[in-house]
Amino acid sequence: MRKILVRILIWFVVLVLLLAGAIVAGTILLKDRLIAYGIEAINNELNAPVNVDGIHFSLINTFPYASIVLDNVTVMSPEQGFKRKGFRHTQADTLLSVRKLSLSFNIRKLLDNELELNSMKISDGRIFILIDGRGNDNFHVIKQKTEKSDGIPMQVKLEHLGISDCMIQISNLYKGNGIEWYMPDFDIEGKLDNNRYEISTKGDIALQWFEANGIEIVPLAPTRIKMDLSATNDTLLIRKGQLSSKGINIGVSGTVLLTKDTYVDLALRGDKIEVANALRYFTLATQEKPVVRSSGLVGFNATVKGKFSNMSSPKIVANFGLDNATIEYPKLDLKLNSVSLKGVFNNGGYSNSPKSYVSISGIDVTSGQSRLSGSVRIDNLKQPHINTSLNIDGQLGEWNHLIFSGRADKLAGRATGTLKGSGPIDVNKAFDLKAFLRLNPRCQLKLQQASYTNGSNITLTGVDGAATLNGSALTISSTSGRLSNIPVTFSGSIGNLLKAVAEPYPTMDIRGSLSTNAFDYQQIEPLFAKSDGEPSKITYKVDLMASTKGFSYKKFRADNISGRLRYAGDNIDVDGLKFNALDGSADVRVAYRSGKHRELACKGSVTSIDINQMFSTFDNFGQTTVTNENIEGRLSSNFTLLLPFAGDSADVRNMDFDGRLKIANGRLHGLEALNSVADFTRIDEFRDLRFSTLTNDMTISGGTVTIPKMDVACNACDVAVAGTQKFTGDYEYHITLILSDFMRGKAKRLQQTTPYGIVEDDGGNHTSLYLVATRTGDKTKVKFDKVELKQQLRNELQQQKKEVKQILNREFGLFKKDTTIKTEEKSTTPPPASGFVIEWDDDEE
């Protein structure tokens, strides 16, 4: 027994040595043949340049197969027909670049001078499958069968394909899509030489990025692929396939027809996929990735059916749903809670189809205290056009970062209503207010306790009412609130509202009717204030029919005010301004300029206002000569006024006034000028002068009041007055006293004869006395007005001459050429037959 075992052991050693010797001999015999045949076969099969740095032969490591290992194999893209420019993330001049390519051949076939490829392994490879913008590709490098080859043909009967550390990229400029994946360790097993064969796969595929319709998407987790396949030479049946990643499981089934054109008919299904994990496959390729938090689930059913080629894509239809998800986007400061929706994706039958769309219905989203619900549809995914219909119930303050994008403007309050919009969108840009405006939004809103501030001088609070947004214009009906803490009610429109906020559109156009309670100017003064910081780029244009119960500015008070208010920039204009003030009424047009040189311009009329109250209210217009202690009466006037401002106060010393005045029940008392006249004439009634009605023109300019000559019937006597009064206190008044009535009772006290003979009879049973009262500095003086007397005598003499000429012309026909006299028209009736006519020669003298 022992001898038998020793013999068996000896024969085994001999057999091993013989086998080893045979392998070594076979290696020596087959090496040169395999290398020669392999290189020749590769060159015969391909019509593209191939570069190989080194070739190694192995029989032991791959026994019972003979193998050659090619180092640093490079296959170039064709130079003819294929355009290499325009590709990103790729080397367009290269089809394949592999550090090590192992090819295993059947030894028995090789001994019969035949090549049969049974196995292939690629290590550290880069494969670029490219299609240019005209549909030409770089991978048709295998020679056509019609081409004759003098070499040994190579038969491909793969049973194993191994891939490790390999990247494959497909980029199609014609269809605008692409994909890249990485295979760290992937194996395909099967009998590929039969008419039908089974294939199994094992390993991981990591998707690097893919691009569709101009949108580049980068997944953040590797995908593991498992397949249960059955195939023929032209048909691939996927009985059961599974793509799995962290938190994602997608089932795949269907067929792929591998004829001249490739046709696919696949079904994909994903259930209960965590939203956070799903979004790893839908994250835009940006440097800042949004932080996504989710407790919701997403699911989908999709079909992929149709022709797949360089220039066409199969039709993809996917139904998807999202339930109770939470999504947060820090870049937009946006957090969406309880997100639920259902939708359909359809690529329209081929890539970049105008018929492609995404339709989302049953939207229900909560963000903070705001809620949106409704539907959205996006058509033509290459040039997207969106249609929205949403129900809104939200807190305006939660939308500030979206509407104003970091500006000082702030919204607050609650808004409920509906929003509809339709227009183009740019998925490569952030969705901001400008993008929202391109959707031509139409919105019906109800506002509750809403507020707005532009960060400087415009403040609206407590707004309640209804509003309609049409594009950028907002229409408001019977909405109440507080403007700068003034209760207001507004109905009208705000044109360019959103355009002005979005910038660079500059003007917000406000029209309608506005009513307020009583308010003080100090409450609205901030509206005209200039901010110390960067000025707001929004300007306002206002045209309102406005009314208020009352207005006050310092001592001035007005009630029942109404008019048409226009405001633009630094200017306020009010047409048809009517109000009650100073115990009277006014109807004026007002223009207020609040710029660097502030001024107030008025034109209109006042009726029966209290003069004493007026002087008191306006601080006696900055002068002390005539004050509220000296004057009484009721003033009515048609006038124009230009009143400049110095700082916060009206500069009455530099105002301009021109008007027709009527003063009823007037009284002047305690005036220095009248006291001086009383002292001079010894008529004490001038110290307290009263009159029933006074009518005259008056101008004020440069601090000087100018009064043309006027007749006044007063308690002292009838007088005529003209003169000037300066705000400094200087004055000059020309006074004509009509003394006839006065002298009937006081002739003894007033001497008709004066040292100067100034008292004279005017020929109409009236007696006139001409005086001039002046003040210069601290000196006052009353004297006889010789200049006025001479002018009066001159006027009377001219009148007498005129009357004489008139008589001579009428009686004797003289002075016919004198245009200063009136000639009576001669009667066209002939004289009586019994009368006579005296004719005079014409005489110019």
Side-chain angles (χ1 to χ4, degrees):
M1 185 66 176
R2 183 178 180 182
K3 292 181 179 180
I4 294 173
L5 291 176
V6 171
R7 289 179 181 178
I8 291 174
L9 179 60
I10 292 173
W11 280 107
F12 178 75
V13 171
V14 172
L15 181 62
V16 169
L17 291 175
L18 289 175
L19 180 60
I23 292 174
V24 171
T27 300
I28 296 173
L29 292 174
L30 296 176
K31 176 180 179 181
D32 293 338
R33 181 181 298 180
L34 181 58
I35 290 176
Y37 289 171
I39 295 300
E40 183 181 6
I42 291 173
N43 287 327
N44 286 335
E45 293 292 331
L46 302 179
N47 58 10
V50 180
N51 297 319
V52 179
D53 286 350
I55 300 177
H56 308 282
F57 176 80
S58 175
L59 185 62
I60 298 175
N61 294 334
T62 58
F63 189 81
Y65 298 100
S67 299
I68 57 173
V69 179
L70 288 75
D71 295 333
N72 299 324
V73 179
T74 302
V75 180
M76 307 304 293
S77 297
E79 297 182 358
Q80 300 295 328
F82 174 73
K83 188 176 181 180
R84 299 180 177 182
K85 294 182 179 180
F87 294 93
R88 297 185 301 155
H89 315 300
T90 188
Q91 301 168 247
D93 60 342
T94 304
L95 171 61
L96 179 144
S97 176
V98 178
R99 186 179 63 83
K100 182 177 290 188
L101 176 62
S102 298
L103 305 174
S104 298
F105 298 91
N106 187 304
I107 293 179
R108 185 177 59 82
K109 294 288 184 178
L110 185 60
L111 293 173
D112 294 335
N113 295 329
E114 296 179 7
L115 283 178
E116 182 182 279
L117 181 61
N118 301 116
S119 176
M120 179 186 300
K121 186 172 184 179
I122 301 174
S123 300
D124 191 8
R126 300 292 181 268
I127 302 173
F128 303 96
I129 300 175
L130 309 175
I131 301 168
D132 64 21
R134 295 172 296 182
N136 299 319
D137 61 64
N138 72 331
F139 52 84
H140 278 87
V141 295
I142 300 176
K143 291 181 179 180
Q144 299 295 325
K145 294 181 179 180
T146 55
E147 297 183 25
K148 296 181 179 180
S149 175
D150 296 333
I152 299 175
M154 181 171 60
Q155 298 180 4
V156 178
K157 292 188 177 182
L158 286 176
E159 297 178 356
H160 173 264
L161 174 62
I163 301 174
S164 64
D165 190 19
C166 188
M167 184 275 291
I168 300 175
Q169 181 185 122
I170 301 174
S171 183
N172 190 332
L173 296 184
Y174 183 84
K175 295 192 294 183
N177 56 36
I179 188 170
E180 178 181 314
W181 63 83
Y182 173 69
M183 296 180 176
D185 189 11
F186 195 82
D187 290 301
I188 300 175
E189 302 281 351
K191 295 289 186 179
L192 303 181
D193 57 333
N194 298 329
N195 289 332
R196 287 189 74 83
Y197 43 85
E198 301 294 321
I199 300 176
S200 64
T201 62
K202 183 178 69 174
D204 295 329
I205 296 178
L207 189 62
Q208 301 294 94
W209 59 266
F210 68 91
E211 182 179 8
N213 298 311
I215 303 174
E216 185 177 343
I217 297 175
V218 178
L220 304 179
T223 302
R224 183 178 179 86
I225 299 178
K226 291 183 177 180
M227 293 288 181
D228 181 4
L229 305 176
S230 176
T232 65
N233 289 333
D234 59 6
T235 304
L236 180 64
L237 174 63
I238 304 174
R239 289 195 294 257
K240 184 178 181 180
Q242 187 174 28
L243 287 74
S244 60
S245 182
K246 184 178 181 181
I248 298 177
N249 290 285
I250 299 175
V252 182
S253 62
T255 58
V256 179
L257 185 60
L258 301 173
T259 56
K260 181 179 180 182
D261 294 317
T262 302
Y263 290 88
V264 297
D265 187 358
L266 302 175
L268 295 89
R269 181 183 180 88
D271 294 319
K272 297 181 179 180
I273 300 173
E274 287 288 343
V275 173
N277 296 325
L279 288 179
R280 294 176 183 272
Y281 282 89
F282 299 95
T283 301
L284 296 181
T286 57
Q287 293 181 352
E288 298 182 18
K289 302 296 188 299
V291 177
V292 178
R293 300 174 183 175
S294 172
S295 60
L297 300 174
V298 64
F300 71 91
N301 288 306
T303 59
V304 182
K305 184 181 294 187
K307 179 181 177 181
F308 188 90
S309 67
N310 293 359
M311 299 184 181
S312 63
S313 296
K315 183 176 183 178
I316 302 174
V317 179
N319 294 280
F320 57 90
L322 184 63
D323 184 39
N324 198 28
T326 300
I327 304 173
E328 183 178 359
Y329 292 90
K331 186 176 181 180
L332 298 178
D333 191 21
L334 180 64
K335 185 177 181 180
L336 305 178
N337 302 305
S338 303
V339 181
S340 298
L341 55 86
K342 295 180 180 179
V344 177
F345 165 81
N346 191 319
N347 73 339
Y350 56 92
S351 182
N352 300 336
S353 170
K355 297 181 180 180
S356 60
Y357 68 88
V358 175
S359 179
I360 304 174
S361 60
I363 298 174
D364 194 344
V365 180
T366 300
S367 177
Q369 300 182 48
S370 301
R371 184 175 181 179
L372 295 177
S373 61
S375 62
V376 175
R377 181 183 173 100
I378 303 175
D379 290 286
N380 191 358
L381 301 183
K382 184 176 183 181
Q383 297 178 337
H385 188 282
I386 189 171
N387 286 276
T388 64
S389 180
L390 299 173
N391 298 314
I392 301 171
D393 184 357
Q395 291 291 336
L396 295 173
E398 296 176 345
W399 305 345
N400 282 319
H401 57 283
L402 295 175
I403 298 175
F404 300 115
S405 185
R407 292 161 50 115
D409 304 73
K410 298 294 182 183
L411 282 170
R414 192 168 193 84
T416 57
T418 60
L419 170 64
K420 295 183 179 181
S422 177
I425 58 174
D426 188 345
V427 296
N428 295 316
K429 296 181 179 179
F431 187 79
D432 54 12
L433 186 56
K434 292 181 180 179
F436 178 71
L437 281 172
R438 287 193 290 270
L439 303 184
N440 188 29
R442 301 173 302 284
C443 186
Q444 299 281 345
L445 285 179
K446 182 179 180 181
L447 302 176
Q448 296 176 324
Q449 291 299 300
S451 65
Y452 165 76
T453 175
N454 68 346
S456 56
N457 57 344
I458 304 295
T459 302
L460 280 169
T461 57
V463 178
D464 290 307
T468 301
L469 181 69
N470 191 352
S472 180
L474 186 69
T475 302
I476 300 173
S477 58
S478 299
T479 297
S480 60
R482 302 181 74 88
L483 173 63
S484 295
N485 209 31
I486 304 169
V488 298
T489 300
F490 176 77
S491 294
S493 64
I494 305 177
N496 305 325
L497 171 67
L498 297 185
K499 288 184 179 179
V501 175
E503 293 182 351
Y505 202 97
T507 303
M508 189 181 295
D509 194 353
I510 303 173
R511 299 174 181 269
S513 61
L514 177 73
S515 61
T516 74
N517 289 334
F519 66 96
D520 188 273
Y521 174 77
Q522 290 183 345
Q523 293 176 279
I524 65 171
E525 189 174 18
L527 297 176
F528 315 112
K530 301 298 183 182
S531 175
D532 294 334
E534 183 180 354
S536 174
K537 295 182 179 179
I538 300 178
T539 59
Y540 301 90
K541 183 178 180 181
V542 179
D543 189 346
L544 297 174
M545 296 302 298
S547 63
T548 180
K549 294 180 179 179
F551 171 76
S552 59
Y553 175 75
K554 295 186 177 180
K555 296 181 181 180
F556 178 74
R557 301 289 185 273
D559 300 314
N560 301 321
I561 305 171
S562 64
R564 184 177 182 180
L565 171 67
R566 292 186 178 95
Y567 166 63
D570 295 328
N571 304 324
I572 296 179
D573 294 278
V574 185
D575 290 332
L577 177 60
K578 297 180 180 181
F579 60 89
N580 299 325
L582 304 172
D583 203 25
S585 62
D587 186 350
V588 297
R589 182 183 184 277
V590 178
Y592 176 67
R593 307 292 179 257
S594 64
K596 184 177 181 181
H597 303 289
R598 290 200 299 161
E599 63 182 16
L600 177 70
C602 296
K603 182 178 182 180
S605 64
V606 295
T607 303
S608 192
I609 66 173
D610 189 321
I611 298 178
N612 181 274
Q613 188 178 349
M614 180 180 69
F615 271 72
S616 176
T617 298
F618 293 105
D619 296 324
N620 298 310
F621 301 100
Q623 50 83 44
T624 59
T625 304
V626 181
T627 70
N628 58 295
E629 296 179 355
N630 309 123
I631 189 167
E632 296 177 12
R634 312 292 292 192
L635 172 66
S636 299
S637 174
N638 294 317
F639 69 93
T640 59
L641 170 68
L642 182 62
L643 180 63
F645 282 75
D648 294 331
S649 302
D651 185 7
V652 295
R653 290 183 175 272
N654 289 306
M655 72 175 179
D656 289 314
F657 175 90
D658 186 6
R660 181 72 174 175
L661 282 67
K662 179 181 179 181
I663 301 176
N665 301 321
R667 182 188 180 193
L668 297 172
H669 58 95
L671 289 177
E672 183 181 275
L674 293 179
N675 289 339
S676 299
V677 173
D679 292 339
F680 184 81
T681 61
R682 286 179 283 178
I683 304 175
D684 289 337
E685 281 81 354
F686 277 109
R687 302 183 191 279
D688 190 354
L689 198 63
R690 300 170 185 268
F691 51 89
S692 60
T693 304
L694 181 153
T695 303
N696 197 18
D697 297 326
M698 186 176 73
T699 60
I700 303 175
S701 181
T704 300
V705 181
T706 302
I707 303 174
K709 188 176 181 180
M710 60 181 175
D711 297 322
V712 183
C714 61
N715 59 315
C717 62
D718 292 344
V719 298
V721 180
T724 59
Q725 169 83 53
K726 295 183 180 295
F727 284 7
T728 59
D730 294 349
Y731 57 80
E732 180 179 323
Y733 289 105
H734 297 267
I735 305 170
T736 303
L737 306 181
I738 311 300
L739 302 178
S740 301
D741 294 336
F742 178 81
M743 289 177 62
R744 289 192 182 100
K746 300 184 179 182
K748 292 182 180 180
R749 192 183 63 177
L750 179 64
Q751 300 294 327
Q752 283 186 300
T753 303
T754 67
Y756 300 95
I758 302 302
V759 177
E760 52 90 20
D761 194 331
D762 63 0
N765 295 322
H766 296 287
T767 304
S768 299
L769 178 65
Y770 300 101
L771 302 177
V772 58
T774 62
R775 174 180 178 176
T776 305
D778 295 331
K779 296 181 180 181
T780 60
K781 182 184 295 186
V782 178
K783 63 180 181 179
F784 296 107
D785 192 350
K786 296 180 180 180
V787 174
E788 182 65 22
L789 176 60
K790 290 179 180 179
Q791 182 63 41
Q792 181 67 21
L793 292 175
R794 186 179 296 112
N795 292 341
E796 292 179 356
L797 180 59
Q798 293 292 333
Q799 180 65 27
Q800 290 174 1
K801 289 174 64 178
K802 186 175 180 181
E803 290 175 356
V804 170
K805 288 183 178 182
Q806 186 78 22
I807 294 172
L808 292 174
N809 177 268
R810 183 174 63 249
E811 297 296 334
F812 304 105
L814 301 178
F815 306 105
K816 293 181 178 180
K817 296 182 178 181
D818 193 334
T819 59
T820 63
I821 63 174
K822 296 182 179 179
T823 59
E824 296 182 359
E825 294 183 0
K826 294 182 179 181
S827 175
T828 58
T829 304
S834 60
F836 60 91
V837 177
I838 300 176
E839 294 185 359
W840 298 83
D841 294 333
D842 292 339
D843 189 348
E844 294 182 358
E845 295 297 330

